């Protein structure tokens, strides 16, 4: 039997856990004290589950690929839950230009622009919008919580929507700009609450709920509809 390939991540956790990341890689999280041999035995014991889950996720990724936008006229994009219809204009030019007007996102590109080029330009546009939006929201909720942060960084993390460092820096995935605004607010509040509790204890979740009473609903939206944020 072929040995399963996986990425091993050790920490102070108490048990071994297995999961898959968005790219379909098998991730094994294990305590520092568990031997490699014992980890291999554990993974082998879960082979049936791993095989069936890997197939299910591969099928889901294939379906997602079919749903991906072509980035042509008429595609619908989202900005804090508001729909924008994409209009692509081709001109004799060397650089792309993107502007929003009357519910449309008008992207003017060189004649030879392909999908990869248009995708890159759209991501750049979203990233430019993300920083001032996230900064304004973070400052508002930080005042309510009575905390302060250092810097905000815009990322494209594969498996998380935000993070908070021990130095008080906040990282946010630009893709949450495409989520409904209350969901975006929840992600920002979540990370700001880590400035008070650097864990996911009961006290942490009580603090989150005090600012965002519907946080469970927003967590569920991210769990159920994350694919809507990965359409290009």
């Amino acid at each position: 039997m072929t040995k399963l390939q996986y990425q091993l991540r050790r920490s102070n956790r108490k048990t071994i856990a297995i999961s898959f990341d968005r790219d379909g890689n098998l991730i094994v999280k294990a305590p520092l004290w568990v031997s490699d041999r014992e980890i291999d035995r554990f993974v082998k014991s879960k082979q049936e589950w791993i095989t069936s889950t890997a197939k299910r996720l591969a099928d889901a990724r294939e379906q997602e690929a079919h749903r991906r936008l072509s980035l042509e006229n008429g595609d619908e994009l989202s900005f804090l839950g508001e729909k924008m219809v994409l209009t692509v204009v081709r001109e004799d030019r060397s650089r792309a230009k993107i502007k929003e007007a009357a519910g449309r996102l008008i992207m003017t590109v060189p004649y030879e622009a392909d999908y990869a080029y248009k995708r890159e330009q759209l991501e750049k546009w979203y990233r430019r919008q993300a920083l001032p939006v996230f900064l304004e929201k973070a400052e508002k909720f930080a005042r309510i919580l009575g905390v302060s942060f250092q810097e905000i960084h815009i990322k494209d993390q594969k498996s998380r929507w935000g993070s908070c460092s021990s130095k008080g820096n906040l990282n946010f995935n630009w893709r949450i700009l495409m989520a409904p605004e209350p969901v975006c607010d929840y992600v920002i509040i979540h990370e700001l609450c880590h400035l008070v509790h650097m864990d996911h204890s009961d006290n942490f979740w009580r603090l989150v709920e005090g600012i965002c009473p519907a946080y469970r609903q927003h967590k569920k939206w991210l769990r159920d509809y994350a694919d809507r944020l990965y359409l290009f």
Side-chain angles (χ1 to χ4, degrees):
M1 184 179 296
T2 304
K3 179 181 176 180
L4 288 169
Q5 299 300 310
Y6 56 83
Q7 297 178 17
L8 177 60
R9 300 175 184 174
R10 292 183 178 273
S11 67
N12 289 322
R13 61 182 298 116
K14 296 180 180 178
T15 59
I16 304 174
I18 54 177
S19 61
F20 289 88
D21 64 17
R22 280 192 60 85
D23 295 325
N25 300 307
L26 181 61
I27 309 298
V28 178
K29 299 177 181 179
L32 297 171
W33 49 267
V34 175
S35 69
D36 290 347
R37 181 175 296 180
E38 186 173 346
I39 293 170
D40 282 340
R41 281 200 300 267
F42 179 85
V43 172
K44 187 176 180 180
S45 72
K46 301 295 183 180
Q47 184 154 3
E48 184 176 344
W49 178 88
I50 291 169
T51 301
S52 62
T53 302
K55 183 181 185 306
R56 177 175 58 80
L57 293 176
D59 291 343
R61 286 195 300 274
E62 184 176 353
Q63 292 177 9
E64 181 181 333
H66 289 310
R67 289 197 303 269
R68 286 198 173 179
L69 300 177
S70 59
L71 303 186
E72 294 292 351
N73 289 326
D75 279 349
E76 285 192 350
L77 301 167
S78 179
F79 189 95
L80 292 177
E82 297 295 324
K83 295 299 181 184
M84 299 184 298
V85 178
L86 180 65
T87 298
V88 179
V89 179
R90 294 183 180 272
E91 291 182 352
D92 184 13
R93 59 189 297 122
S94 59
R95 292 185 178 182
K97 179 177 68 174
I98 299 179
K99 66 177 181 179
E100 184 183 1
R104 304 188 76 82
L105 196 64
I106 303 170
M107 180 166 60
T108 307
V109 297
Y111 283 120
E112 66 277 11
D114 59 7
Y115 177 89
Y117 179 85
K118 289 183 289 183
R119 187 208 168 283
E120 178 185 24
Q121 299 306 313
L122 272 177
E123 178 175 339
K124 287 181 178 178
W125 182 84
Y126 269 100
R127 283 177 176 267
R128 287 195 298 271
Q129 315 312 307
L131 185 56
V133 170
F134 296 166
L135 181 59
E136 180 181 357
K137 289 179 175 295
E139 288 176 341
K140 179 183 75 172
F141 292 122
R143 286 193 295 270
I144 295 173
L145 285 163
V147 299
S148 60
F149 57 90
Q150 296 299 316
E151 297 178 347
I152 289 180
H153 301 285
I154 307 302
K155 305 283 188 178
D156 190 8
Q157 298 143 308
K158 292 286 186 182
S159 58
R160 53 173 44 180
W161 305 112
S163 60
C164 174
S165 76
S166 58
K167 295 181 179 180
N169 293 321
L170 304 175
N171 300 310
F172 295 112
N173 191 323
W174 64 268
R175 292 180 182 276
I176 65 170
L177 200 59
M178 294 190 286
E181 189 164 12
V183 175
C184 177
D185 289 350
Y186 156 68
V187 173
I188 292 171
I189 291 167
H190 181 118
E191 300 311 328
L192 285 169
C193 286
H194 279 311
L195 295 172
V196 181
H197 302 289
M198 288 295 286
D199 53 31
H200 288 103
S201 62
D202 290 344
N203 288 335
F204 168 82
W205 289 114
R206 278 194 289 269
L207 185 61
V208 171
E209 187 171 25
I211 306 299
C212 185
Y215 82 88
R216 293 180 181 86
Q217 174 184 333
H218 305 323
K219 279 183 68 178
K220 186 176 187 302
W221 191 97
L222 286 169
R223 186 169 59 249
D224 294 346
Y225 301 111
D227 59 329
R228 296 183 183 180
L229 309 184
Y230 286 86
L231 293 179
F232 70 88

